[in-house]
Amino acid sequence: MSKEQTNEQLDLAWQFVERTGVNVFLTGKAGTGKTTFLRRLKERSPKRMVVVAPTGVAAINAGGVTIHSFFQFPLAPYIPGGSFNSKDEKYRFSKEKKNIIRTLDLLVIDEISMVRADLLDQIDAVLRLHKDRHRPFGGVQLLMIGDLSQLAPVVKDGEWTLLREYYHTPYFFGSHALQQTRHVTIELTHVYRQTDRTFINILNEVRENCLTPESLALLNSRVDGQQTEVNSEFKIQNSEFTDGTIRLTTHNATANRYNEERMDALKGIRFSFKAKVAGTFPESSYPAEETLVLKKGCQVMFLKNDSQGSRYYNGKLGIVSAVDGKRICVRGIDDNVEIEVEPDVWTNARYVIDKETKEIREDIEGEFRQYPLRLAWAITVHKSQGLTFDRAVLDVNAAFASGQVYVALSRCRSLEGLVLTAPLSPSSVKTDLLVTDYMNAELEQAQHTAGHLSTLERDYYLLMLTELFSFKTLEADFHRMLRLIDEHLYKVYPLLLKMYKQADGRFSKEITAVAATFYRQYSTLVIDSPDYTTDELLAERIHKAATYFIDKLDDFLRPLVEHTSIDSDNQEIKERLTEATYNFKQSFAQKHYLLTRVIANGFNVSTYLKDKAIGLLNADQSAKRSAKSKPSEKIEVDRNSDIRHPKLFRNLRAWRALRAEELGRPAYGVLTQKALIGITNELPTSGRELLRMPGFGKKSLEMFGKEILTIVQEYIEEENIEEKNFIGTFH
């Protein structure tokens, strides 16, 4: 395939990720540029993203974190429909983690072939919990990168016995949540790693589970001792390798044993280099040996790209030309250039929100400093992913997982550059039939993928516009406040309840009904317009609607937001009130911010996504402060307020807290909320007047009367109140 065609595929993938909200499965043969695409996406995309992978090494290679660490998952299988107890320590996310999820646009999952279906459903459950419970994956877009012909998910027998009742396959595409979504598959087909057409065809046959007897015979002609005279120089003779040949094995123990044997065969002294670990860096994610042991003459592999230039790259092979306790020199096998190797640093990061820019960024938690080398006469197939070798011996007869043989074969640049230690059988190179069937169906649909782009892009625009002019969340939070006050606090806050009930009718008529009508208008305009992003009539209607709704929010909801600072003596009701007040104020602040931004700048998707995240974070801080704040001294006496003297209310509440602490009582054991508000409003100046307050009896008068009357009298004098204003609310 030509370079132009390859660019078309990558451009198509970019457009689907950036201009739609549809989930994308980006696949392709080994060496087609999936990792490069991810790196460029991280550099260029305006979407707020998090990158995760199923293993620690894969996560570090992808520049992300592991799935289990980010979502704080246990290692146990997940049963669909299972719930999370937010009080359980392992599921108790920090406020920052919650905000990262709540502002997330895109979740990138690298090495998706190794992700189990139940793990993907577990991700769905957490995203719904913290973002949008009504939409799969909480409305977050997924970019799943990987090749199903490569390494399969690990499922122990006991786990599959449990999971098989819920899943027809352990692969990610068995996820119930994924099956509820619309997703597209984009296959990258241009292979950069191999140029040998015969070998590429064989790899395609292996990948697609249709290896012909002729191709199998050609592969098996590469068994040690069976090469043709032309290639006879590349044989394994007495287990001796030519420099630059690497053995790929299926098990760590086999690779380690072979490396140790080769090390023992060398003369000279062993030198050990201990890694330096700082901060938090899980041992399971170590990207190199904690203790690197080398001798002069060792064959080694570089484990990362040169951070100081371009002397070496991840996967480059070399021979240790000099080594002592302080210095390592490696001669590159491919270029014969000698490199003095310095220790390098890998970082373990977590995602945080930048306080200034509000962007999601990586915060370094730990560092692993070591020479970027490993012994490389042999490595496992698993550790070879993403690498390319000119000469490799494949010891894969003991392959235990689907896709291992394909991964091993696809690491080789050419057929002439590989040797098999034993013949391959037809069964050893077979792909899981479920994978084959799934990929055949996906790739058949993928032929029409480009034709769906414009429709999906429009749908995404319409979805974001609908989200902007949807008041369902705000209305739900408003109604929750109304119910709590009506059911539990109607006697304590009667005037506030009256304000909520009046606002309820207006909300339904002036916001909900109007938003429904406007939805029909802008939906028609978007669908009928040849270019809705520049349509002047649509832009005008959006501007007018945003202005209308801002006016309504300011007219009858803002006063509620400002007056809602209530309390309860009942601890359970108090906790529910705190949460409800926070949600109501946060929803109001975010919606107000977004509408204001649209009035100022117009509407487009990329700006809206950024404003939505910033608005949520700002609203979160604002609502947090407001929900915990005491009634402000600046609030003037208002006939519609249940608390007519906010400053006195604050003083009395502070006094009550101190006395409660001294006596070891709950606050309501000193002065009930109802009595507190009554005293604040009525300004009693005698014991007789105090006894008229609701919930205030003779015992309270005896214990606290003088203190309370003193606080009230000081307030009256300080505020120059000449005549007490009895409103009769509590008579």
Side-chain angles (χ1 to χ4, degrees):
M1 179 167 286
S2 71
K3 196 169 184 179
E4 288 74 18
Q5 288 173 304
T6 303
N7 288 339
E8 286 179 9
Q9 292 173 332
L10 291 171
D11 185 57
L12 186 63
W14 172 265
Q15 291 181 68
F16 269 103
V17 171
E18 289 304 303
R19 293 162 53 186
T20 80
V22 71
N23 296 329
V24 177
F25 173 34
L26 181 65
T27 187
K29 306 173 183 67
T32 51
K34 299 184 293 294
T35 302
T36 301
F37 178 84
L38 172 57
R39 184 175 67 250
R40 291 176 179 170
L41 181 74
K42 291 177 65 179
E43 294 171 353
R44 295 170 51 196
S45 176
K47 288 191 173 181
R48 297 171 69 87
M49 77 175 72
V50 163
V51 179
V52 295
T55 67
V57 174
I60 289 174
N61 290 339
V65 298
T66 66
I67 295 172
H68 284 81
S69 66
F70 181 77
F71 290 103
Q72 299 173 202
F73 289 153
L75 296 177
Y78 173 76
I79 302 303
S83 59
F84 294 94
N85 182 0
S86 60
K87 294 183 180 179
D88 191 327
E89 185 64 33
K90 61 178 173 287
Y91 297 127
R92 193 176 298 166
F93 288 179
S94 66
K95 191 64 181 178
E96 182 168 56
K97 177 70 71 66
K98 290 178 184 177
N99 281 335
I100 288 172
I101 292 175
R102 292 166 68 195
T103 61
L104 193 62
D105 299 319
L106 176 65
L107 177 67
V108 181
I109 307 177
D110 198 22
E111 300 291 3
I112 189 66
S113 70
M114 299 171 64
V115 176
R116 287 194 335 212
D118 63 311
L119 185 57
L120 205 54
D121 281 340
Q122 200 170 13
I123 292 172
D124 166 70
V126 170
L127 292 177
R128 285 180 188 257
L129 178 66
H130 295 292
K131 192 168 174 67
D132 186 341
R133 67 179 182 275
H134 301 296
R135 297 167 63 188
F137 302 103
V140 174
Q141 182 183 22
L142 301 185
L143 170 59
M144 300 165 286
I145 302 176
D147 182 2
L148 281 168
S149 299
Q150 298 194 37
L151 299 182
V154 177
V155 191
K156 298 176 183 177
D157 291 340
E159 293 174 334
W160 184 238
T161 300
L162 178 66
L163 293 173
R164 69 191 311 165
E165 297 183 27
Y166 304 93
Y167 297 100
H168 71 284
T169 174
Y171 285 94
F172 79 92
F173 55 80
S175 157
H176 299 300
L178 187 64
Q179 291 169 14
Q180 295 171 19
T181 72
R182 187 175 185 179
H183 72 275
V184 299
T185 295
I186 298 174
E187 183 185 28
L188 305 178
T189 56
H190 179 73
V191 179
Y192 293 94
R193 183 174 291 141
Q194 292 90 17
T195 56
D196 179 346
R197 178 50 56 185
T198 300
F199 188 42
I200 290 174
N201 290 337
I202 291 175
L203 289 176
N204 287 344
E205 290 178 10
V206 173
R207 186 171 184 268
E208 295 167 10
N209 207 26
C210 58
L211 184 67
T212 64
E214 294 77 13
S215 294
L216 180 61
L218 191 55
L219 277 177
N220 285 333
S221 73
R222 304 302 305 165
V223 175
D224 179 36
Q226 296 184 28
Q227 295 92 340
T228 63
E229 291 184 7
V230 176
N231 296 311
S232 60
E233 77 282 356
F234 185 29
K235 290 183 180 181
I236 311 174
Q237 296 178 347
N238 300 321
S239 299
E240 293 296 331
F241 280 18
T242 305
D243 284 354
T245 303
I246 190 166
R247 175 179 290 241
L248 302 185
T249 72
T250 53
H251 293 75
N252 271 312
T254 306
N256 292 339
R257 184 172 61 252
Y258 196 84
N259 283 327
E260 190 62 28
E261 289 173 358
R262 299 289 294 167
M263 173 85 81
D264 287 342
L266 291 175
K267 297 179 181 179
I269 303 172
R270 292 177 181 240
F271 293 93
S272 298
F273 302 89
K274 180 81 171 177
K276 295 180 180 179
V277 183
T280 301
F281 207 115
E283 188 173 344
S284 60
S285 297
Y286 283 178
E289 297 291 341
E290 185 176 9
T291 301
L292 175 65
V293 180
L294 298 176
K295 283 184 181 181
K296 182 179 179 180
C298 283
Q299 180 164 296
V300 292
M301 177 194 294
F302 285 91
L303 298 178
K304 65 184 305 189
N305 296 334
D306 184 7
S307 58
Q308 305 299 321
S310 56
R311 298 171 301 164
Y312 56 83
Y313 54 87
N314 184 25
K316 179 183 177 74
L317 294 175
I319 301 296
V320 175
S321 55
V323 59
D324 55 32
K326 299 179 180 179
R327 179 171 170 265
I328 301 174
C329 290
V330 174
R331 175 179 53 80
I333 288 174
D334 55 351
D335 55 15
N336 208 36
V337 174
E338 187 157 308
I339 304 165
E340 183 167 349
V341 187
E342 299 292 336
D344 211 331
V345 175
W346 289 262
T347 58
N348 178 47
R350 66 185 180 99
Y351 285 103
V352 298
I353 293 177
D354 191 287
K355 292 181 179 179
E356 294 183 3
T357 66
K358 307 297 184 185
E359 297 293 330
I360 297 174
R361 64 172 177 81
E362 293 180 0
D363 185 44
I364 305 304
E365 281 196 312
E367 291 185 346
F368 181 93
R369 181 180 293 272
Q370 176 61 289
Y371 288 92
L373 299 170
R374 68 171 302 127
L375 290 178
W377 286 291
I379 63 170
T380 62
V381 174
H382 186 277
K383 288 185 173 65
S384 75
Q385 279 198 290
L387 305 180
T388 305
F389 305 115
D390 290 317
R391 304 164 73 84
V393 173
L394 309 188
D395 183 7
V396 291
N397 305 60
F400 59 89
S402 177
Q404 274 195 319
V405 171
Y406 172 76
V407 172
L409 290 170
S410 62
R411 299 310 96 192
C412 303
R413 198 180 297 279
S414 66
L415 186 62
E416 287 72 23
L418 71 87
V419 168
L420 298 174
T421 58
L424 296 172
S425 67
S427 60
S428 65
V429 292
K430 279 192 174 181
T431 306
D432 190 314
L433 289 177
L434 280 172
V435 170
T436 304
D437 291 343
Y438 173 76
M439 285 306 303
N440 287 340
E442 286 296 301
L443 295 179
E444 184 177 348
Q445 292 182 10
Q447 296 176 10
H448 311 289
T449 294
H452 297 316
L453 178 60
S454 60
T455 299
L456 292 170
E457 185 178 358
R458 184 193 64 199
D459 291 347
Y460 189 49
Y461 181 93
L462 192 56
L463 177 65
M464 295 298 99
L465 193 57
T466 301
E467 190 178 84
L468 170 65
F469 288 109
S470 171
F471 296 87
K472 290 181 179 178
T473 300
L474 178 58
E475 187 175 24
D477 292 335
F478 165 80
H479 280 141
R480 187 182 180 198
M481 286 298 307
L482 173 57
R483 286 194 303 273
L484 280 172
I485 298 170
D486 197 16
E487 292 175 10
H488 303 286
L489 302 167
Y490 62 94
K491 291 183 179 179
V492 182
Y493 297 100
L495 296 179
L496 185 62
L497 176 59
K498 181 180 179 182
M499 290 176 66
Y500 267 86
K501 287 187 173 180
Q502 289 173 343
D504 187 26
R506 294 190 66 183
F507 203 126
S508 177
K509 181 179 179 181
E510 299 175 28
I511 292 184
T512 305
V514 175
T517 300
F518 182 52
Y519 170 78
R520 292 189 290 271
Q521 293 177 4
Y522 68 71
S523 296
T524 301
L525 288 172
V526 171
I527 293 170
D528 292 346
S529 175
D531 186 1
Y532 47 87
T533 60
T534 60
D535 190 294
E536 292 183 2
L537 177 58
L538 177 61
E540 180 187 0
R541 294 298 303 131
I542 291 172
H543 186 275
K544 287 184 177 179
T547 303
Y548 168 84
F549 287 118
I550 277 284
D551 289 343
K552 293 301 176 183
L553 293 181
D554 285 338
D555 183 25
F556 68 88
L557 277 188
R558 183 179 290 282
L560 283 180
V561 171
E562 293 176 347
H563 282 97
T564 301
S565 182
I566 53 183
D567 202 356
S568 172
D569 291 333
N570 184 300
Q571 187 60 33
E572 180 184 352
I573 300 300
K574 184 176 182 177
E575 290 177 2
R576 292 168 61 187
L577 273 172
T578 300
E579 181 183 6
T581 301
Y582 163 80
N583 289 338
F584 176 46
K585 294 187 175 186
Q586 191 268 348
S587 295
F588 175 87
Q590 186 186 25
K591 185 63 66 176
H592 196 281
Y593 175 82
L594 287 172
L595 292 170
T596 302
R597 294 286 293 171
V598 168
I599 292 171
N601 304 314
F603 177 83
N604 69 73
V605 170
S606 59
T607 301
Y608 171 73
L609 289 174
K610 184 174 182 178
D611 286 342
K612 183 171 68 168
I614 293 174
L616 186 145
L617 296 173
N618 289 341
D620 172 65
Q621 294 301 317
S622 174
K624 232 169 150 184
R625 289 191 298 268
S626 180
K628 293 181 178 180
S629 67
K630 310 297 188 292
S632 172
E633 296 180 40
K634 296 181 181 179
I635 298 177
E636 298 179 0
V637 174
D638 185 341
R639 297 295 298 181
N640 291 320
S641 174
D642 288 296
I643 300 174
R644 299 184 55 75
H645 300 282
K647 183 178 179 181
L648 175 60
F649 181 79
R650 188 183 68 174
N651 293 343
L652 285 170
R653 196 154 67 170
W655 166 82
R656 182 178 70 161
L658 287 173
R659 295 296 275 132
E661 185 178 356
E662 290 172 1
L663 298 171
R665 298 182 180 183
Y668 62 80
V670 174
L671 191 66
T672 67
Q673 186 76 0
K674 189 181 294 185
L676 182 62
I677 294 176
I679 295 168
T680 299
N681 289 344
E682 301 281 0
L683 301 179
T685 55
S686 68
R688 179 176 296 180
E689 291 175 358
L690 267 179
L691 289 172
R692 290 157 60 185
M693 300 299 103
F696 197 92
K698 291 183 178 180
K699 190 171 182 180
S700 297
L701 179 64
E702 181 182 334
M703 291 187 67
F704 309 117
K706 287 184 179 181
E707 295 176 56
I708 293 172
L709 290 173
T710 298
I711 294 171
V712 172
Q713 189 61 44
E714 288 175 353
Y715 173 77
I716 291 173
E717 294 173 359
E718 185 179 339
E719 299 297 318
N720 296 316
I721 299 175
E722 297 180 0
E723 181 179 349
K724 289 185 296 182
N725 184 15
F726 293 99
I727 61 174
T729 303
F730 297 98
H731 290 295

